[in-house]
Amino acid sequence: MNLKNYLDIAPEVKSAVEAGKPVVALESTILSHGMPYPENLTFAAEVERIIRAEGAIPATMAIIDGRMKVGLSAGELELMCKGENVAKVSRRDLPILLATGGTGATTVASTMILASLAGIPVFATGGIGGVHRGAETTMDISADLQELAHTPVAVVCAGAKMILDIGLTLEYLETMGVPVLGYNTDQFPAFYCRKSGFGVDYTAKSAAEIAKIARTKWDLGLAGGMLIGNPVPEEYALDFDEMSAVIDKALAAAKEDGVRGKNITPYLLAHIVEYTGGKSLATNIQLAYNNARLAAKVAVELAKL
Ligand code: PSU
Ligand code: MN
């Protein structure tokens, strides 16, 4: 296989990877299917600025005209943010988009695949996909979890939204052998809220410690990634009971509208923003900035090892 037939790595990203300098991967589904335009445009630029300020290079991923892109230009970021005719691309969609010349945004799963192909071991996102509530009948389990099991990328997230069954998501990760760390917390965070009621495998106290655990896992030849739960900063955290009610309402609306499969997560995210009058969007943006900052610090530490 000649990867060059499919993959375009931005020159800045390529030379950083080759020189062993820190790079942070970013996804584009959070832009195209997770946040409204034009707020996502400001977000996309700021998240890259934050990573640079920490001394790392940002690499946002996308599929454009049938090519895998690692590191986007301003114009390509705008295309993802506008999101017109931009598919949501997870692992199963990747060969179809590439073979047919399609354009799409990468999820956590496909961003991990592109990052791994490009040699980038650290990735910052908002929230991961997981085991959906009611998965015992729908079998709706995000491909993100299988990707964490198999692809060697450390993913910094603010936990998982309560649209998911957080307990079952953590059970799945345990079965798949994925270490779940909390950054200065003993609880896996619940996205808008700092606590979920579920514990982590280890409370990491620094970016250096996270980097050392990742390095050790990969030195041992243990396949797969690692998950780091980074709680939303206190000042942006939302009330747990209030958000539980909002999420229940969004889930009921999805059921009523018969939404299924890959459309369910974007549907729920948009309804949550609507029900909270944009308050949840502000929190979403801030927690993603916070994750970018930590991921950049981890990338810097990993580059030293
Ligand atoms: N959860 C969020 N925000 C997001 C997503 C999940 O809080 O934007 C996106 C991510 O790209 C994630 C994807 O990888 O949704 C999961 O979709 P699915 O459940 O269809 O695998
Ligand atoms: Mn799903």
Side-chain angles (χ1 to χ4, degrees):
M1 179 196 58
N2 192 346
L3 255 187
K4 285 203 180 76
N5 293 337
Y6 304 102
L7 182 66
D8 294 327
I9 306 179
E12 184 193 28
V13 174
K14 194 165 196 291
S15 48
V17 169
E18 280 167 4
K21 293 199 175 127
V23 179
V24 175
L26 297 164
E27 61 155 309
S28 46
T29 290
I30 191 175
L31 305 175
S32 304
H33 303 283
M35 285 182 191
Y37 182 86
E39 286 88 344
N40 54 4
L41 200 56
T42 319
F43 167 79
E46 178 63 11
V47 83
E48 293 205 349
R49 192 199 62 77
I50 288 169
I51 289 169
R52 287 184 196 283
E54 293 292 337
I57 304 290
T60 305
M61 314 289 180
I63 311 300
I64 299 177
D65 297 332
R67 308 246 346 143
M68 295 187 283
K69 300 279 180 189
V70 175
L72 303 186
S73 67
E76 289 167 337
L77 276 178
E78 179 146 18
L79 179 75
M80 287 300 121
C81 289
K82 283 200 168 139
E84 290 159 12
N85 300 315
V86 174
K88 179 178 160 190
V89 181
S90 194
R91 168 177 275 265
R92 57 134 188 226
D93 310 294
L94 203 50
I96 302 172
L97 270 278
L98 297 193
T100 59
T103 292
T106 56
T107 62
V108 167
S110 53
T111 300
M112 289 176 75
I113 295 172
L114 268 64
S116 170
L117 289 173
I120 303 168
V122 182
F123 165 22
T125 184
I128 56 155
V131 180
H132 280 258
R133 292 205 215 163
E136 60 273 22
T137 50
T138 63
M139 288 189 67
D140 190 348
I141 300 174
S142 174
D144 293 353
L145 299 185
Q146 275 294 317
E147 212 58 56
L148 282 160
H150 300 300
T151 305
V153 176
V155 180
V156 178
C157 70
K161 281 203 175 76
M162 289 171 287
I163 60 175
L164 303 175
D165 187 318
I166 297 178
L168 291 188
T169 299
L170 292 171
E171 289 294 343
Y172 195 101
L173 290 167
E174 179 187 0
T175 301
M176 292 295 149
V178 179
V180 178
L181 311 185
Y183 181 58
N184 289 322
T185 178
D186 60 1
Q187 284 204 16
F188 191 66
F191 201 82
Y192 302 117
C193 312
R194 292 173 58 86
K195 289 184 188 311
S196 66
F198 294 94
V200 290
D201 303 326
Y202 181 70
T203 301
K205 286 106 198 149
S206 67
E209 204 179 16
I210 294 167
K212 191 173 175 195
I213 294 169
R215 181 73 270 151
T216 303
K217 169 165 176 154
W218 297 324
D219 278 350
L220 291 173
L222 294 175
M226 204 169 84
L227 194 59
I228 301 103
N230 185 29
V232 59
E234 200 89 62
E235 61 267 42
Y236 300 108
L238 300 178
D239 182 70
F240 189 91
D241 293 331
E242 187 189 333
M243 288 316 291
S244 294
V246 164
I247 284 162
D248 286 344
K249 190 175 159 192
L251 284 166
K255 196 169 182 187
E256 173 105 12
D257 287 349
V259 186
R260 249 182 243 127
K262 71 194 279 184
N263 296 325
I264 187 116
T265 299
Y267 178 100
L268 293 172
L269 299 181
H271 279 72
I272 292 166
V273 173
E274 185 192 317
Y275 296 158
T276 61
K279 198 169 68 172
S280 69
L281 179 61
T283 297
N284 194 348
I285 288 172
Q286 292 300 328
L287 64 82
Y289 290 162
N290 192 47
N291 295 344
R293 205 169 295 118
L294 177 59
K297 288 182 199 292
V298 172
V300 166
E301 293 300 328
L302 203 51
K304 293 182 194 162
L305 297 177

